[in-house]
Every structure is written in structure tokens, then in C-alpha cells.
Amino acid sequence: MKKTYYIIAAVSCLVAIIIELTGVFNFIELKSLDIRYNLRADLLHEPKTSKEIVVIGVDDLSIAKIKEPFILWDTYFAKVIEHVGQHKAKVIGLDLIWAKRIDDFVTRSKKDKNALRRALLITKNKYKTPIVMGIGAASRKKGQANIEIDTSLPMKYFGSIVGRSGFGVVNTIPGDDNFVRHYKLNYESMTGQEVSLPGFANRISAYYLDKKPLEQNTVKTINYQLNKTIPIVPFYEVIDAIDNNKNEDLTKWFKDKIVLIGVTNVSGDILPTPIAQETPGILIHAHAIDMIIHNNDLTKSPTILFVLMSMIISFIVVYYSSKLSLKASITLLLIIFLIFSIANLLLFDANILFPYSSIVIMMVFAYGDTYFYRFIIEEKSKKRLATFFKSYVNDQVVKDILNSDAPMELEGKRTKVCVLFCDIRSFTTYSEANPSEEVFRTLNEYFSEMTDAILNNNGTVDKFIGDGLMAFFGAPISIENPTLSAVKASLDMRARLAKLNEKWTAEGRQALDNGIGLHTGYAHIGNVGSDKKMDYTAIGDTVNIASRVEGVTKNLKSAILITHECQELVHNDIVSIPKGEVPLKGRAPVFVYEVTNLKVPTA
């Protein structure tokens, strides 16, 4: 791999690290996190229902059934809280913010005024069920670590009953897109340490686990279990069960459970989350609680692992993009993307949060830069190749070379080709008997026709040797049957020579004859020469044999001779006459055949 590609790979890796550290594409990362939540639920886990948590939801139907204004519902909440405690709930969480004291504006009986306080006392002291009341932040800036906790309500009126340990902060932490994916374990107040409190989910989980609340002052990613349904019992159904003494239902719903009471109607505490665009806030707390009690924290992968993975993927993408064709490299990129996505999802399922978007962006960056560089380099190379090969092959072969995905190995490669040698008989006598102008005019006309015959059959004109020429078939690009193409070119060369002879005779010029020899085998193909002049040629024993076979055409009075190796490859397509073994200078004899024509296909 060239030095430039190493630089591209290193820069791509650096890009991924910068993206991850700066969070410049955090919006994309958050959306990819949502996709992972959903894919994990759909592909890796069966649907199930929470056995530990149940929500009593104040929904639209409950609001319609209970005619009184919601602001006066504390008597209904009192009834529900007391009976939930009576039916042995493990802990009760109230995500209900009392912003004002109702009795400051409405005249009610003493019993109604004290209903909620009385229910809290009975539930806590008689039924021994812990109660956690939600408390909110009076003011909070986005992303701010400390908040100002509103302690006026409900602490002022319920603090003496549930105690300081009966409160948890219910504020959520919206992301850049306002989706709630994070929660805070503990909140430190700007007004003083004495009013700092655990988060709502942290406090409830502590009661359920019979432990102290987690003490870290950190923001955690909620591990939403989208395959897990949190049961929601409508508030009115609970009231109906209480009023009609449906104690079996109440026990089934609440015994040994974390019971959360909150608003679930669409006009209430609704926030966008990976669960749904409109998610009741109480369900956000439910999933946070579920994560804590099952110790399912999402742990961010170590930075060193991210850097190492970035380096590996970057270098793989750049290396193969610099080698493969466009189609193959895109396919490989998609395969790498798929493998990384699956691995990332499996890590996520193991509760390891590995960065996704920064790696994917890095892949695209590395691939794009590599191909951009290749485009610049290869365009120059293609122009050079086009100029170089135009003197050897026809225009279509040049196009095939330029469009080929395979690299042109001008430095040399060993490949199977059919080599053709052609020589004009008795040309020395002809040249001595005619003026130079006519000799060269005749040669140029002759070579033009011979060259066209070779090029039209996808051959490569190697060189002109006096009155002879050498060509080969099967390089620089592969063709289906190089030997058959060479035979067709040979027959065409003889036909063209016949027409030339008719023309020359009509002009009063001397007719010429030639002999053609073919042999198929392996040869070394590539550039040979010096730094001042290079030729694209074939070298090897195959070339020598073809040259010597052409040399015996005159003795055998044959126009076209091919070796046994050629005959084996084309015998179904040509008409040939076996001529037997012939001695070759400095070599063992070879068996040759005279080609007379192509076979006419039968219907």
C-alpha cells in the first residue's frame, strides 16, 4: 500500500476520534441509539411483561369517569394509596407534583383536607409500605449539573409524614433533540447541600432492593427495554376495584410490586423517548427503575477500544479500496458496515455502549478519500495506457483495457497466449529489384492491411521485423479463445494479401507471398527496454517456436502452419491438414497442421 494511503487511513482514524470527542454528530449518534433499542427488542429478545413494576395511570378515560376537576383528586389518590399499601405493595412512587395547596383556594371539609395526609400515614406506618413523592426543580438550565429544587411543596405539607427519604427528583434530562434518554442519579441543589436529593428512580429502587440510594452524581443512559411491557392499570379501574371490593384483582396487581402513580393521558406529562414520540413521564421513570433494580447499566466502552477499532476498520477500508474495483470495494464496504453494525448491536445487547456514528462516518470518509485519490492517479494512468496501447491494439481493446477492473501489469506477467509470426517470402530479392520508394510504399500498404487483420481479431501487434511482423493474442486483456482469434486473423491476412496482389498486378507491380506460423503456450508479457525506449512484448519459448514454425512454411509450401498445441484448441472450428513432424532449429521436432479455412457451421 502506498504511503498516501497510510496517511488517508491515519487521517480517517483521527476524524473518528475528533467526531467522538467533540460530539459534532451527536444528533446522529442519538438516533442510532434509538435504532439499537428497537433492533435489540425486535431481533434479540422475546416480548415480556415486567413482574416488578406496575403503573397506575391517570388516563383520559379516568378523567372522564371522575367528574371532579383533577385539582381536587387528592381524596381519590388517598383512597388508591391506602389500598395499594393494604395489598402489600413493595414501594409506592407518586409522580404527581402539587404546585399549589388546593385548600388555599377551595373550601373543603376537614376530612377531605386531611385525606391524603391520613392515607400516607396509614400506608407508611400501618402497612409498612415506603412512599416516594416526586419533587421538581423550580429552575434548571439544559445540561446544568446543579438545580434549584423546589422544597415548598410537597415537602412543606408531607415532609413530616414521609420524611426526607420519601422524596425524589422527577426532572428528566432532554437530549439535543429533546428526546429523553438519560437520567441523573442524584441532584445537588444550588441553594445548599441540605436540600440535595436522589432522583426519583434512584430512591424507589433503593427501597425495592432494601439498600441505600446509589451515591454517584452521574448522568446515565437509560437502558430502555423496549421488548418489556410495563403494565398500566387505569386509575379508574383501581377506584372501581376498591369500591366493589375486588380484592383479588388488587392483590394480583400490586402485591410485592413497585407501584408508580402518574399521568398517562396525552395532555399530561408527555415526552419524546425511544419508546414513542409521546411517552408518559411515569414510564420513563419505570424504565430507569427497571434498569437499576436489574443492574442493567449501559457502560460506555473504553476509549482505547474505540481508538483501536477505528484504526483497524480505517486501514481495512483504505487498503481494499485502494486495490479492488469500484463494485468490489463498495460491496466490501457494505460488508464491513454490516459486520460492524451487528457487532455494535451485540455489544449493546451486552450493555456496552460502543460509538456507532463516528465509525460509520469514518468508513465513508476513508472510502471516499481513497477513491478520490485513486481517481486522480488512475485517470493519469488510463491516459498513459490509452496512448501506449493504441499502437499495439485496436480501439475496442483500448476501451476494454481502460474499462477493465483488472490492473494492467506492464512490468510483466506470465500468461497463456497464441503467438503469430508472419514473413514475406523472397522479399530480399524483391527489394533489390525495385526502387526504395516502391519498396516502402508496398511495405506500408502491406503492413496496414496485416495490422488491421490482427487488430480486428483482438490481437496485439508486437513489432515489425524488416518485412516480418510478430503479434500475440490473449494479452493485455484476456479473450475467450486466443488461438481461434489468431487463426481467424491469419486467414484474414491471407485474404487481404490476395486483394493487395490483385491491386498491385493491375498497377503493374509485383505480387507478394507470405507465410504465417502460430504456436500457443505460456510467455512473459510486459515492458522491455531501457529508460529511453520501452516495448510491450512477449518473451519465452512459445515465441521462439512460433518464429521457427513460420520459418518452415516455405519448405512445406503452406501459407498457415499451426502447432499441435494450437490444433487441440481449435480443431472443432477449422479445416486443417496434418503435415507431420518438422524439425526446428535447435529444438525437438514439432507436429504441425496447415490451416485452409474455417468450418462452416451446420444447421
Side-chain angles (χ1 to χ4, degrees):
M1 193 165 73
K2 295 179 180 178
K3 181 180 178 181
T4 305
Y5 291 126
Y6 283 106
I7 294 173
I8 291 173
V11 170
S12 301
C13 180
L14 184 61
V15 166
I17 295 170
I18 291 172
I19 290 173
E20 186 60 25
L21 292 178
T22 60
V24 64
F25 290 109
N26 190 51
F27 179 84
I28 299 175
E29 183 65 23
L30 292 176
K31 292 305 178 185
S32 76
L33 177 59
D34 295 348
I35 293 172
R36 279 173 275 178
Y37 283 127
N38 283 278
L39 288 177
R40 179 179 65 180
D42 295 340
L43 302 178
L44 303 180
H45 295 282
E46 294 293 328
K48 60 181 177 180
T49 302
S50 175
K51 297 179 180 179
E52 299 87 3
I53 305 170
V54 63
V55 171
I56 299 176
V58 179
D59 58 2
D60 290 321
L61 181 61
S62 298
I63 292 172
K65 292 281 189 179
I66 300 174
K67 304 300 183 183
E68 295 183 40
F70 186 71
I71 200 170
L72 300 176
W73 275 31
D74 54 346
T75 54
Y76 295 99
F77 288 126
K79 181 189 290 188
V80 169
I81 290 167
E82 185 174 339
H83 282 82
V84 169
Q86 182 182 344
H87 287 85
K88 303 189 182 302
K90 190 88 175 202
V91 57
I92 300 173
L94 305 177
D95 185 16
L96 302 162
I97 303 298
W98 281 269
K100 298 289 183 181
R101 181 168 167 79
I102 305 308
D103 294 302
D104 292 340
F105 306 95
V106 178
T107 301
R108 295 192 298 171
S109 66
K110 187 175 181 180
K111 180 181 178 182
D112 288 345
K113 287 181 180 181
N114 294 323
L116 186 55
R117 291 168 60 86
R118 179 178 176 277
L120 295 173
L121 277 168
I122 291 173
T123 303
K124 182 181 178 183
N125 298 322
K126 181 178 178 181
Y127 301 128
K128 306 299 181 184
T129 302
I131 298 168
V132 177
M133 303 187 77
I135 195 167
S139 64
R140 174 174 62 91
K141 292 181 180 179
K142 190 174 182 179
Q144 188 171 284
N146 298 331
I147 64 168
E148 184 179 340
I149 298 172
D150 185 1
T151 58
S152 58
L153 286 171
M155 272 191 173
K156 182 176 179 181
Y157 296 100
F158 305 113
S160 60
I161 300 173
V162 298
R164 183 172 177 76
S165 61
F167 294 97
V169 179
V170 293
N171 287 78
T172 55
I173 302 175
D176 294 338
D177 56 356
N178 289 321
F179 274 59
V180 178
R181 303 179 186 86
H182 301 86
Y183 79 100
K184 208 169 186 300
L185 284 173
N186 293 285
Y187 290 82
E188 295 179 0
S189 174
M190 293 186 295
T191 59
Q193 184 64 32
E194 68 278 0
V195 290
S196 298
L197 288 172
F200 188 66
N202 189 11
R203 180 76 85 183
I204 291 174
S205 301
Y207 276 121
Y208 183 80
L209 298 171
D210 197 21
K211 295 180 179 179
K212 289 183 178 181
L214 299 171
E215 295 181 355
Q216 304 99 304
N217 189 27
T218 57
V219 174
K220 289 186 174 289
T221 302
I222 301 174
N223 196 358
Y224 287 105
Q225 303 293 317
L226 300 190
N227 64 301
K228 182 182 287 187
T229 301
I230 307 294
I232 300 177
V233 183
F235 189 84
Y236 185 79
E237 265 190 50
V238 179
I239 294 292
D240 180 71
I242 293 169
D243 291 343
N244 293 286
N245 296 317
K246 298 178 182 178
N247 293 319
E248 288 185 7
D249 287 344
L250 293 170
T251 299
K252 180 181 68 175
W253 289 338
F254 307 129
K255 185 179 180 182
D256 298 325
K257 303 280 184 69
I258 297 171
V259 182
L260 305 176
I261 303 175
V263 176
T264 58
N265 73 313
V266 293
S267 60
D269 182 21
I270 300 297
L271 298 163
T273 72
I275 301 173
Q277 185 70 33
E278 295 181 342
T279 305
I282 193 68
L283 284 182
I284 297 174
H285 296 301
H287 279 271
I289 292 167
D290 183 83
M291 183 176 77
I292 296 173
I293 64 176
H294 289 102
N295 195 27
N296 276 341
D297 279 14
L298 281 171
T299 305
K300 194 170 183 180
S301 61
T303 302
I304 186 65
L305 180 61
F306 167 74
V307 173
L308 184 62
M309 185 64 70
S310 299
M311 291 174 61
I312 293 172
I313 293 177
S314 175
F315 276 88
I316 289 175
V317 170
V318 171
Y319 177 80
Y320 285 103
S321 298
S322 68
K323 301 282 185 185
L324 300 177
S325 67
L326 178 63
K327 184 177 179 181
S329 60
I330 289 176
T331 301
L332 179 67
L333 183 68
L334 292 175
I335 291 171
I336 294 172
F337 167 76
L338 184 62
I339 292 172
F340 171 70
S341 298
I342 292 172
N344 193 287
L345 180 62
L346 293 175
L347 286 172
F348 184 70
D349 188 48
N351 297 327
I352 297 173
L353 200 55
F354 191 88
Y356 183 79
S357 60
S358 53
I359 298 286
V360 173
I361 292 170
M362 179 203 71
M363 287 185 206
V364 176
F365 181 87
Y367 181 82
D369 273 17
T370 302
Y371 246 90
F372 179 74
Y373 177 74
R374 273 190 72 179
F375 176 78
I376 294 173
I377 298 301
E378 288 184 355
E379 279 303 304
K380 292 181 180 178
S381 177
K382 283 181 178 181
K383 289 178 181 178
R384 181 172 65 88
L385 280 171
T387 303
F388 182 83
F389 276 108
K390 273 182 180 178
S391 61
Y392 291 97
V393 296
N394 65 36
D395 290 341
Q396 183 56 50
V397 174
V398 171
K399 289 180 182 178
D400 291 342
I401 291 170
L402 298 183
N403 294 329
S404 174
D405 292 332
M408 292 294 103
E409 299 179 57
L410 298 181
E411 292 76 13
K413 66 174 181 178
R414 188 171 183 267
T415 188
K416 193 171 187 178
V417 293
C418 182
V419 179
L420 177 154
F421 271 87
C422 177
D423 193 58
I424 300 175
R425 292 172 183 168
S426 303
F427 188 75
T428 302
T429 304
Y430 170 84
S431 63
E432 290 178 353
N434 291 281
S436 296
E437 294 82 358
E438 183 175 328
V439 170
F440 279 100
R441 182 159 63 99
T442 301
L443 268 182
N444 288 334
E445 290 179 10
Y446 169 78
F447 280 134
S448 292
E449 292 296 327
M450 299 304 104
T451 299
D452 286 347
I454 293 167
L455 298 184
N456 288 346
N457 287 280
N458 296 322
T460 300
V461 177
D462 185 315
K463 60 175 68 72
F464 300 105
I465 313 162
D467 61 298
L469 69 81
M470 170 185 167
F472 51 85
F473 296 75
I477 63 167
S478 299
I479 54 179
E480 185 177 351
N481 190 336
T483 305
L484 183 58
S485 294
V487 170
K488 288 179 179 179
S490 301
L491 292 168
D492 191 15
M493 289 165 71
R494 290 291 299 175
R496 287 171 183 263
L497 179 58
K499 288 184 179 180
L500 281 173
N501 282 330
E502 289 178 8
K503 173 178 176 292
W504 291 333
T505 301
E507 294 173 354
R509 294 156 66 187
Q510 184 178 335
L512 298 177
D513 194 13
N514 67 5
I516 301 170
L518 304 178
H519 178 60
T520 298
Y522 282 92
H524 298 283
I525 310 291
N527 264 339
V528 174
S530 69
D531 56 352
K532 292 183 174 61
K533 176 165 176 56
M534 300 288 287
D535 281 320
Y536 185 72
T537 189
I539 297 172
D541 201 41
T542 298
V543 178
N544 296 331
I545 294 174
S547 175
R548 285 166 171 75
V549 168
E550 183 277 321
V552 299
T553 57
K554 184 176 181 180
N555 296 335
L556 294 180
K557 294 181 172 52
S558 299
I560 304 170
L561 288 179
I562 64 173
T563 62
H564 178 71
E565 286 77 6
C566 294
Q567 174 73 11
E568 287 293 302
L569 297 169
V570 296
H571 67 274
N572 291 327
D573 301 291
I574 68 170
V575 177
S576 62
I577 302 169
K579 305 297 284 187
E581 283 191 345
V582 294
L584 298 182
K585 186 178 179 180
R587 309 196 52 80
V590 296
F591 199 100
V592 295
Y593 298 78
E594 180 181 2
V595 178
T596 60
N597 214 330
L598 294 174
K599 285 183 179 179
V600 179
T602 56

